[in-house]
Amino acid sequence: MILGQNQYGKAENRVVKITRDGATHHIKDLNVSVALSGDMEEVHYSGSNANVLPTDTTKNTVFAFAKEYGIESAEQFGIHLARHFVTSQEPIHQARIRIEEYSWERIATSDANSRFIGADEVKHSFVRQGQETRVTQITYDGTQWEVISGLKDLVVMNSTNSEFWGYVKDKYTTLQEAYDRILATQVAARWRFNWTDDEQKMPHWEKSYEQVRKHMLHAFAETYSLSLQQTLYQMGSRIITHRSEVDEVRFSLPNKHHFLVDLEPFGLKNDTADGAVYFAADRPYGLIEATVLRDGCEARIPVDMTNL
Ligand SMILES: O=c1[nH]c(=O)c2[nH]c(=O)[nH]c2[nH]1
């Protein structure tokens, strides 16, 4: 018998850092998971802990680094941690840092429109954004870096400009062709940066995230969709076209079906004209998944990664 792939570390370190800029506070709220691998045969075979940096220490390092070096971005923080584990401990050959980031929005306390007219925002009160979770994974083996960032649970809907027809029909097909339907999904996406080692050429992680997210949303909104597959491809290709730091994007898009309710039994006509009523089904759902790649680049984002 031999030992196969193995890794260890502390998972889900919830670290919150508050930075004070006078009365204005800033929050970084992360969930950091560390996975280390290297010369770990002996701890498995004989129980010798000689090569084992305790998972407890990896947890402490996460919190200490947040204090000592700050959290400029999830990516930057992950890179710093990965480098530390691989370069400070001889037996550790690879570090994988996964980070989820939760965002907070300032609470506006004057009238409902205050956010739009720049009126008072409480400088130290926040409401957790119910929107997406930002994610990143940094892997370092002592020479090469791999940075894959992304998001999950970003729920989007187009209330028109979506059709679905012309599909294969066999004896089990009952689906009616749709010429004006709702298109809704909960986006899970991962994108791989082509940055591998040159510190000078490191992307601006925060700006990159905002821009990738923007292109993704604009493509979703602006595509007149004949299928969710087509929309997915547009979202990915818009990112590849506009963001030179990204070589590969992978999506997992559940088709959140909205079915027109049959109201005929109540003598009510219900079609897509004004005032239509839909049943939002939660399952089963179509699941549309694909990778969009820059020409000449290799697909490296694992197929099931977007479901993490
Ligand atoms: O956008 C869609 N793609 C499909 O492959 C599909 N299949 C289905 O039943 N409805 C849809 N919608």
Side-chain angles (χ1 to χ4, degrees):
M1 247 167 305
I2 58 157
L3 176 69
Q5 197 281 340
N6 63 92
Q7 57 190 16
Y8 82 106
K10 198 70 100 192
E12 306 215 34
N13 298 284
R14 293 283 289 106
V15 52
V16 176
K17 167 123 180 156
I18 307 290
T19 311
R20 296 183 179 215
D21 177 7
T24 304
H25 294 188
H26 303 275
I27 297 183
K28 276 286 183 194
D29 182 354
L30 308 183
N31 189 15
V32 182
S33 295
V34 176
L36 307 175
S37 46
D39 300 331
M40 297 297 156
E41 288 76 15
E42 276 313 309
V43 62
H44 293 90
Y45 290 142
S46 71
S48 162
N49 292 323
N51 285 351
V52 178
L53 181 74
T55 67
D56 189 65
T57 307
T58 69
K59 173 200 70 183
N60 292 343
T61 309
V62 170
F63 289 98
F65 272 36
K67 181 69 191 171
E68 268 189 274
Y69 308 110
I71 303 172
E72 197 185 293
S73 64
E75 287 85 356
Q76 179 64 53
F77 190 59
I79 286 170
H80 205 165
L81 285 166
R83 183 188 291 115
H84 167 80
F85 292 123
V86 173
T87 57
S88 66
Q89 298 299 328
E90 234 250 321
I92 295 172
H93 300 164
Q94 189 180 87
R96 187 200 72 195
I97 312 293
R98 282 189 173 156
I99 303 178
E100 292 191 350
E101 177 171 357
Y102 313 112
S103 27
W104 294 81
E105 189 184 344
R106 288 177 201 287
I107 296 176
T109 47
S110 40
D111 68 79
N113 290 325
S114 61
R115 279 200 289 151
F116 307 107
I117 58 176
D120 287 345
E121 276 179 339
V122 176
K123 295 180 168 63
H124 58 266
S125 298
F126 302 85
V127 54
R128 171 99 166 248
Q129 271 181 358
Q131 283 211 19
E132 79 270 16
T133 300
R134 178 173 166 179
V135 295
T136 191
Q137 172 179 291
I138 288 96
T139 315
Y140 182 52
D141 64 3
T143 17
Q144 291 282 106
W145 293 94
E146 183 187 71
V147 182
I148 297 173
S149 293
L151 54 78
K152 59 184 181 182
D153 301 332
L154 178 63
V155 181
V156 289
M157 174 192 281
N158 285 327
S159 57
T160 187
N161 288 3
S162 166
E163 306 185 12
F164 188 67
W165 48 268
Y167 41 79
V168 173
K169 294 169 190 85
D170 70 7
K171 67 177 182 173
Y172 300 113
T173 304
T174 56
L175 185 72
Q176 296 296 304
E177 299 201 319
Y179 297 91
D180 187 2
R181 66 172 187 173
I182 287 179
L183 186 67
T185 186
Q186 181 169 331
V187 181
R190 295 290 186 281
W191 48 93
R192 183 173 55 77
F193 292 91
N194 44 35
W195 177 76
T196 51
D197 55 4
D198 187 345
E199 298 280 332
Q200 304 308 316
K201 294 195 183 139
M202 201 182 270
H204 186 302
W205 306 110
E206 301 291 77
K207 179 167 168 238
S208 177
Y209 180 81
E210 291 310 322
Q211 291 295 312
V212 168
R213 182 182 185 277
K214 181 192 84 179
H215 288 299
M216 193 186 309
L217 289 178
H218 287 191
F220 179 80
E222 290 168 8
T223 301
Y224 188 104
S225 177
L226 298 175
S227 66
L228 185 51
Q229 286 89 331
Q230 183 203 17
T231 296
L232 179 156
Y233 189 77
Q234 288 299 316
M235 291 162 75
S237 55
R238 182 89 70 113
I239 294 166
I240 299 291
T241 303
H242 289 92
R243 302 307 305 174
S244 59
E245 73 275 26
V246 174
D247 274 356
E248 178 185 4
V249 191
R250 184 164 177 84
F251 291 100
S252 177
L253 301 182
N255 192 352
K256 294 172 75 75
H257 303 298
H258 288 69
F259 299 113
L260 271 174
V261 184
D262 178 9
L263 298 176
E264 286 290 336
F266 320 119
L268 297 171
K269 187 163 177 277
N270 190 32
D271 59 27
T272 51
D274 196 28
V277 174
Y278 297 84
F279 163 59
D282 74 334
R283 66 189 79 167
Y285 47 87
L287 187 58
I288 312 299
E289 304 182 295
T291 297
V292 183
L293 279 169
R294 187 177 296 288
D295 274 346
C297 292
E298 207 184 302
R300 290 208 219 116
I301 300 174
V303 165
D304 286 325
M305 186 181 205
T306 32
N307 298 321
L308 293 176

